[in-house]
Amino acid sequence: MVNPFKQCKDLRLKPWQCPPFLFILMGIIAIIAMLATYFVASKYESPIILVGSVSFVTIIIMTIGYFVVQGVSRIVEVNQMKTEFVSIASHQLRTPLTSLSWSAGALEKTKLNDKQKEMLSSIKESHHRMIGLVNNLLNVSRIEQGKIKIIKEKFSLNKLIKETIKEFNSLAKARNTEIKFTATNKLTMQGDKEKIRIVISNVINNAILYSKAPGKIEISLKKNILSIKDNGVGVPKEQQKLIFKKFFRSDNVLKRQTQGTGLGLYISKAFVEAHKGKIWFESKENKGTTFYIKLKN
Amino acid sequence: MKKILFIEDEQSLQKVLGNRLEQEGFSVLSALDGEIGFNLAKEKKPDLILLDLVLPKKDGFEVLKELKQEKETKDIPVMVLTNLETDADLQRILELGATTYLVKANYNLEEIVSKIKQTCA
């Protein structure tokens, strides 16, 4: 038996938007209305008026109730469609992507000339981008359904940051951007390592993409606050409040030169908050942006 | 020589992973659907079973359940290789007795082979 109140909470509906709540509220109003009608109508000694007015009010209320129930059914239906979509998309999109990746892996082990190696590298990069996109979409879908699961483990945040930076070495080099990491302390935390990796990855990715060459990114860890500072194009003031919104991409000078889905920060924020942490930023157009991530131990 | 049974309906994956595992010195049996997969497991008693979940005839969950109920196959380690990732599915796999599971799309060929070798050791 699906609990409709939990569903409304998961879908982040306010009480006045939540059909079951409205239904109960209406039921109470119906009972009060019927009692009131009874008392008023009983002042007239004709039973027909009494029965008529009570029935009339009841019919109106029941009709409205019917439409409310329709609304609830629709929500449940859409929810089921979303879950099915995620399941289908994850399997159907990932299967050919797996085949692509493993075949490329097998090809890599054969004798290739330089030109062929170059082409293979291009195939691998495209695959990497696609799988990243599919995973992003799946994460967004799970976030929307309120289904983020935090698998807790103990890990070193310093180590995770260093590993993540390493993954960006080739991209940073290609964009003539330097990444420096300093830490005043070693932080061991309890949390979902993979999700935190995604959080850090997304912020560093943005920092690199929105920097103009030669770029400089300074990452620093002080106590339990991680800051990622770039000297890139920054975020225009009027767009700053939209930065964490789904699919939002800042309308700055580099927008058309960079690829992106606008999902990175939306996902990062959801993952940080699922860890009871906080993520925020300071930015000045043409000067740069600094992102701050505060995590609970 | 260790015997691996690979139950997977996607032929390109059968070919690529099968070849690679043979290069590593394993003997590889292929099954393209759940029914053939279960029957081959019973007949050949491999050292490791690689099992996909979305399969024709009999799906992976069904096959896993039957493998664990059958005396001849219940002790063979099963590694589920899937692209499904819902919590409900993953929980079910572990409850049915899979040794481990991997989301195929998140690993490249080298990583998968390395994990398989680890499980076989």
Side-chain angles (χ1 to χ4, degrees), chain B residues 7-9 31-38 55-58 63:
Chain B
I7 310 178
E8 160 72 66
D9 65 328
L32 292 174
D33 68 56
E35 217 173 82
I36 298 178
F38 177 68
L55 296 165
K57 303 261 177 74
K58 227 180 245 180
V63 174

Side-chain angles (χ1 to χ4, degrees), chain A residues 83 86-87 90-91 94-103 105-106 109 127 131 135 138 142 147 149, chain B residues 6 10 12-13 16-17 20 52 54 81 83-87 91 103-110 112:
Chain A
T83 315
V86 172
S87 193
S90 74
H91 188 257
R94 283 168 147 176
T95 302
L97 282 173
T98 308
S99 185
L100 183 58
S101 164
W102 291 6
S103 300
K109 289 246 153 192
H127 163 266
I131 207 71
N135 286 338
L138 282 177
R142 282 196 205 109
K147 286 204 174 108
K149 206 188 204 175
Chain B
F6 188 17
E10 193 70 25
S12 60
L13 296 182
V16 173
L17 186 56
R20 191 75 178 78
D52 182 19
V54 180
L81 295 179
N83 278 324
L84 293 178
E85 218 181 352
T86 66
D87 292 327
Q91 180 127 351
V103 175
K104 284 181 283 207
N106 290 340
Y107 297 92
N108 65 32
L109 189 59
E110 291 311 306
I112 286 277

Side-chain angles (χ1 to χ4, degrees), chain A residues 1-233:
Chain A
M1 183 69 185
V2 171
N3 180 354
F5 287 100
K6 183 171 189 301
Q7 266 202 1
C8 287
K9 191 161 165 245
D10 285 343
L11 292 174
R12 288 179 290 198
L13 290 173
K14 300 273 179 357
W16 63 83
Q17 294 169 319
C18 180
F21 175 75
L22 288 174
F23 196 60
I24 293 181
L25 186 62
M26 261 191 26
I28 297 173
I29 295 175
I31 294 172
I32 296 174
M34 275 194 272
L35 289 172
T37 315
Y38 173 76
F39 281 120
V40 169
S42 63
K43 295 254 173 11
Y44 301 89
E45 288 183 2
S46 168
I48 297 174
I49 298 182
L50 173 64
V51 168
S53 34
V54 171
S55 306
F56 179 67
V57 173
T58 308
I59 289 172
I60 297 213
I61 289 176
M62 296 311 273
T63 310
I64 299 176
Y66 173 71
F67 289 114
V68 169
V69 170
Q70 292 281 57
V72 179
S73 309
R74 184 83 183 118
I75 291 182
V76 172
E77 196 188 322
V78 169
N79 231 30
Q80 279 179 334
M81 271 166 57
K82 270 187 181 177
T83 315
E84 260 175 61
F85 169 74
V86 172
S87 193
I88 293 171
S90 74
H91 188 257
Q92 298 289 46
L93 288 173
R94 283 168 147 176
T95 302
L97 282 173
T98 308
S99 185
L100 183 58
S101 164
W102 291 6
S103 300
L107 192 55
E108 204 167 16
K109 289 246 153 192
T110 64
K111 198 152 197 248
L112 300 171
N113 63 38
D114 285 335
K115 189 76 185 169
Q116 288 169 326
K117 280 189 191 157
E118 208 183 299
M119 295 292 110
L120 183 58
S121 180
S122 174
I123 290 174
K124 282 172 73 179
E125 205 203 300
S126 286
H127 163 266
H128 189 73
R129 273 168 52 192
M130 281 204 72
I131 207 71
L133 182 59
V134 170
N135 286 338
N136 263 359
L137 289 173
L138 282 177
N139 276 329
V140 167
S141 189
R142 282 196 205 109
I143 292 168
E144 296 274 277
Q145 293 177 63
K147 286 204 174 108
I148 313 175
K149 206 188 204 175
I150 303 291
I151 304 170
K152 281 208 167 127
E153 63 174 310
K154 232 182 184 172
F155 63 93
S156 153
L157 186 59
N158 300 58
K159 199 163 163 225
L160 181 64
I161 296 169
K162 288 197 191 124
E163 279 170 15
T164 313
I165 292 175
K166 209 165 158 206
E167 288 180 10
F168 281 101
N169 275 341
S170 55
L171 179 64
K173 196 165 163 208
R175 298 192 120 245
N176 197 3
T177 299
E178 185 197 349
I179 307 178
K180 240 175 47 175
F181 173 48
T182 51
T184 58
N185 53 281
K186 279 201 191 308
L187 189 63
T188 308
M189 61 172 284
Q190 274 262 68
D192 191 315
K193 191 172 172 191
E194 275 319 301
K195 296 205 164 63
I196 300 294
R197 184 198 302 272
I198 289 173
V199 171
I200 302 173
S201 235
N202 285 345
V203 179
I204 296 180
N205 192 45
N206 281 351
I208 297 177
L209 290 186
Y210 288 100
S211 284
K212 281 191 170 175
K216 186 156 171 225
I217 298 174
E218 290 165 41
I219 303 178
S220 95
L221 179 61
K222 276 197 183 92
K223 295 239 181 87
N224 63 342
I225 299 184
L226 174 63
S227 69
I228 297 154
K229 177 172 183 219
D230 69 60
N231 58 350
V233 293

Side-chain angles (χ1 to χ4, degrees), chain B residues 21 26 48 50 79 81 100-102 107-121:
Chain B
L21 289 172
F26 294 99
L48 173 66
L50 303 175
M79 193 169 172
L81 295 179
T100 179
Y101 75 84
L102 287 175
Y107 297 92
N108 65 32
L109 189 59
E110 291 311 306
E111 289 164 344
I112 286 277
V113 171
S114 152
K115 297 253 175 198
I116 291 172
K117 277 157 70 172
Q118 261 175 22
T119 313
C120 252

